[in-house]
Amino acid sequence: MVETANNQQPQPGPPPMRPPAPPLGAAKGPIWAPAEQLLQLQFCIHSNPNWPETCLLGFQHYVVMLGTTVLIANTLVPLMGGTDGDRARVVQTLLFMSALNTLAQTLIGTRLPTVMGASFAFVLPVLAIIDDLHDEDFTSEHQRFLHTIRTIQGSLIVSSFVNIILGYSKIWGNLARFLSPVIIVPFVCVVGLGLFMRGFPVLANCVEIGLPMLILAVFVQQQLNHIHHLGHVARIIFGRFGLLLCIGIVWAFAAILTAAGAYNHVRAQTKLSCRTDRTFPISAAPWIKIPYPFQWGAPIFRASHVFGMIGAALVTSAESTGTFYAAARLSGATPPPAHVLSRSIGLQGIGMLVEGIFGAVVGTTASVENVGLLGVTLIGSRRAVQISTAFMLFFSIFGKFGAFFASIPLSIFAAMYCVLFGIVAAVGISHIQFANSNSLRNQYVLGLSLFLAISIPQYFVTNTDMNNGHGPIRTDGGWFNNIFNTIFSSPPTVAIIVGTLLDHTIDARRTVNDRGFQWWLPFQKRDGDARNAEFYSLPLNYLPSSLNEFMPRRFF
């Protein structure tokens, strides 16, 4: 036995070091790196399919946006005392203004592929105007309709300056700099989720038409499109135009049921949701009618009616901004910089001013359903949206043809919304990859913002009398009631208010990196990212230098 110098037994050494345990879940699959752009898109914002496909995509965008336009006209015009012919002309005017505003936004606004459609945010202020004029004496119901719509015109004209000032003074863009990915998640998410009442609740009014449409749309676009032995042409038809195909099939089925008398003895709501002849008779629509300024008469200005419209103007600014973020992601563009948001909101204000001049019953906002269509088709082409404006203009002028497509039952549109709104909500959730999703602080902000953005508007909508637009805030100041009832009935507006307050007051300085600002800030500056100019430069930037120097750039 060998002894040491101290005549002691040798002590055993420390156990060998074991390799550190891998992080929990590290061996269960790949860890996906954040992706600033969606690689699955087949065409991004400035790449385009061939012309026939692009035109068909433009027509599909027109059909998708038509549902909201018809629903708003059907809701408001009868309460105003209008006839079927008045409803047809209101729909034509809304389509005409949507075409002009969409073309303007895609050319000199955000430059994103977003359709500008009629906004539900204006419904409550319009209902308040209708109720305020209800007790006045008119010689006929048509006179009451004309007086009401002229009053709406005056309110739209005055409230439009709110957006013009917010946009071209750059206030809105500076406010957008306070947004972080943690705020963007609930903000964009509720742009889609906040419209849940226009989905299955409307579909359920006519289950035998709406449910087959929903099932067929999912099957054709997602299941049938991924069968491997299908040819290339079949995949294009099912993937890009599957929604249009499903609309045609179910619409024909609804027409057969209507002609067979299946809905002759049902309640009025079921008739409106199921029948193909309840929107307004095709005979009531004019063959040719071009909307023109002050077509209903000179606008009427009343201070008491303007404040509700101002609230709606603020709401549409928030809703459009959230929709722009979703559109940027689904079209392969970078998040819109602050100066782009400013000029888009300013241009939206100019559009609202023109709408007041032309006599639209509501203002416009960025259409959520059309942004969802970008995700369904995987085509974020700007040109396809611009071509859709040609269809809007055509059907707004030739009323008989427009009335034909307006006969699509509301339950078919509701089935589409279940898919399209859901995609926009999911796009909002995807922004969390740019922040620390494991931060309990971020989870608190996300959870509370998302919940309140759905819960608070639901309370306001539930406690609002849809006959007169009176909401739960009922003080002696009517202007105060109109503004805040409108603001707190909007999920995106509540989300941006609550999210911004929480994110900038709860341990904000120490958690700058966790909140994703390191990734977010370069996109908010004009030259912060090299790709910003590629996606958002105006067509004016490509003019010859001799002409370019005469173009004012202060607001662009």
Side-chain angles (χ1 to χ4, degrees), residues 516-534:
F517 267 107
Q518 186 176 4
W519 170 83
W520 182 252
L521 286 179
F523 298 114
Q524 293 304 296
K525 301 177 182 178
R526 184 185 296 266
D527 301 320
D529 189 279
R531 294 167 294 178
N532 286 350
E534 175 187 356

Side-chain angles (χ1 to χ4, degrees), residues 97-119:
M97 297 314 305
S98 292
L100 297 184
N101 288 323
T102 300
L103 195 59
Q105 282 290 351
T106 55
L107 286 176
I108 59 175
T110 59
R111 303 273 292 155
L112 291 169
T114 50
V115 171
M116 303 300 292
S119 172

